[in-house]
Amino acid sequence: MTNMERREALRGMAIALIGGIFWGLAGVFGQFLFEYKGTNARWLVSVRLVLAGILLLSTVVVKQRATFWKIWTDRKDAVTLILFGILGMAGCQLSYYTAVELSNAGTATVLQYTAPVLILGYEAVRMRRRPRGFEIAALVLALAGTFLLATHGNPGSMSLSGKALAWGLMSAVMMAVYNLLPAKLMKKYGTFCVIGWGMLVGGIALSAFTHPWYVVGHWDLEAVGAMAVVVVLGTVLSFSFYMEGVRMIGAAKASLLASVEPVTATIASALMMHVVFAGMDVLGIVCILGAVLLLSVPGLKKA
């Protein structure tokens, strides 16, 4: 590898890492809006999806004008896109931010990151194969981590509310749908086109129930700034940085580096929102991150 190639690889790694950090910060600033500005998950998600969808689609118009409307000309693809927007996009975001509202950004993000284990189980059933050793280890780690977060090791008590746990695990299920459903569409029409339309469709669908035009909460410059972080930094720029990282270093390495998201959300929750994590919480978080890392290492997958 030449010096130029090494610098390009390091640049790609840094860009993918920044994308993961931006994703992690979005949850923390959402928590700030819930706790200090009186908004709620339903309103925030509907507004976030509509605004972020419009911003992403504006980049598609500039760079991929030919594919902007093309996805709607194929009935099967259009139906898949609508399902992705409602189940994958709106479902994933609503369940995640509801878990944030009921607990904190760090815990909600870590619970959502049990999704790779669900995807593993789905693919094993679909392909009718036995899970490999490292996959079983990842499953055990994810289950152990969830157990520790929910009970602190005591099955007779819940350290995390039942609602928060349910919404957090639901966000993992929806994240699995979010990852599996649009794969063929992205190859055909491009990631930003599919994600942008998915966000806009999901946001419009939620708007029928949340009525985002009725402003919820106390809005000042702090609230507007936090919302800008959620929409611009945590959605548009995070996707842009991550996808550029994928282009430069490949999806396997980029997805591994993006696993910094739950770490960022946990640390930022502690520093910015003064969330206190007990020893069992930290152990549970480490277990779930260990499961994610096991499933992200390219060498194990090839083996």
Side-chain angles (χ1 to χ4, degrees):
M1 181 182 286
T2 65
N3 287 335
M4 184 175 292
E5 289 173 335
R6 192 175 291 109
R7 284 197 298 270
E8 187 74 357
L10 288 173
R11 182 168 168 264
M13 291 170 67
I15 287 173
L17 195 65
I18 291 170
I21 291 170
F22 284 172
W23 269 323
L25 289 176
V28 179
F29 278 86
Q31 183 182 347
F32 171 81
L33 289 170
F34 301 148
E35 291 190 12
Y36 295 106
K37 300 302 175 182
T39 188
N40 60 59
R42 298 177 302 280
W43 188 89
L44 177 68
V45 170
S46 60
V47 174
R48 180 198 188 193
L49 289 179
V50 170
L51 293 179
I54 291 171
L55 287 172
L56 282 174
L57 287 174
S58 66
T59 67
V60 175
V61 170
V62 173
K63 296 181 179 181
Q64 301 170 247
R65 187 182 296 270
T67 61
F68 181 70
W69 291 108
K70 192 176 179 182
I71 195 168
W72 295 106
T73 60
D74 185 302
R75 182 177 295 180
K76 184 178 178 181
D77 289 345
V79 170
T80 303
L81 179 62
I82 291 170
L83 289 174
F84 167 61
I86 294 173
L87 296 178
M89 192 60 73
C92 181
Q93 293 295 310
L94 181 61
S95 53
Y96 168 69
Y97 275 102
T98 302
V100 170
E101 187 177 8
L102 294 170
S103 57
N104 61 77
T107 301
T109 307
V110 170
L111 285 173
Q112 188 181 59
Y113 261 70
T114 58
V117 179
L118 300 178
I119 295 172
L120 157 72
Y122 167 79
E123 290 184 343
V125 171
R126 184 173 65 87
M127 298 174 68
R128 296 181 182 178
R129 67 168 178 82
R130 289 184 177 182
R132 287 165 282 189
F134 77 94
E135 294 172 334
I136 294 172
L139 175 61
V140 171
L141 281 172
L143 291 174
T146 303
F147 172 75
L148 290 172
L149 280 175
T151 68
H152 281 183
N154 182 0
S157 67
M158 289 287 287
S159 59
L160 188 65
S161 76
K163 285 185 178 180
L165 179 62
W167 281 106
L169 294 177
M170 177 62 73
S171 74
V173 174
M174 291 295 101
M175 188 178 181
V177 173
Y178 167 90
N179 278 277
L180 293 169
L181 197 57
K184 291 182 180 178
L185 293 182
M186 288 181 181
K187 289 181 182 179
K188 190 173 180 180
Y189 300 103
T191 301
F192 281 82
C193 181
V194 175
I195 294 294
W197 278 119
M199 285 182 170
L200 190 57
V201 168
I204 291 172
L206 275 179
S207 297
F209 304 96
T210 59
H211 303 153
W213 46 88
Y214 297 124
V215 179
V216 176
H218 171 63
W219 288 86
D220 53 17
L221 286 178
E222 275 190 341
V224 172
M227 190 68 179
V229 171
V230 171
V231 174
V232 180
L233 206 70
T235 308
V236 179
L237 290 181
S238 59
F239 272 109
S240 300
F241 274 71
Y242 176 70
M243 293 311 299
E244 180 65 9
V246 169
R247 184 188 69 80
M248 296 176 71
I249 61 174
K253 288 182 180 178
S255 63
L256 183 60
L257 290 166
S259 298
V260 74
E261 179 187 350
V263 178
T264 301
T266 302
I267 294 173
S269 294
L271 295 178
M272 296 170 60
M273 302 301 297
H274 311 295
V275 175
V276 178
F277 293 97
M280 285 296 183
D281 292 321
V282 175
L283 184 57
I285 290 167
V286 169
C287 285
I288 291 174
L289 289 178
V292 173
L293 292 175
L294 270 177
L295 296 177
S296 302
V297 176
L300 289 176
K301 292 180 180 180
K302 290 177 182 177

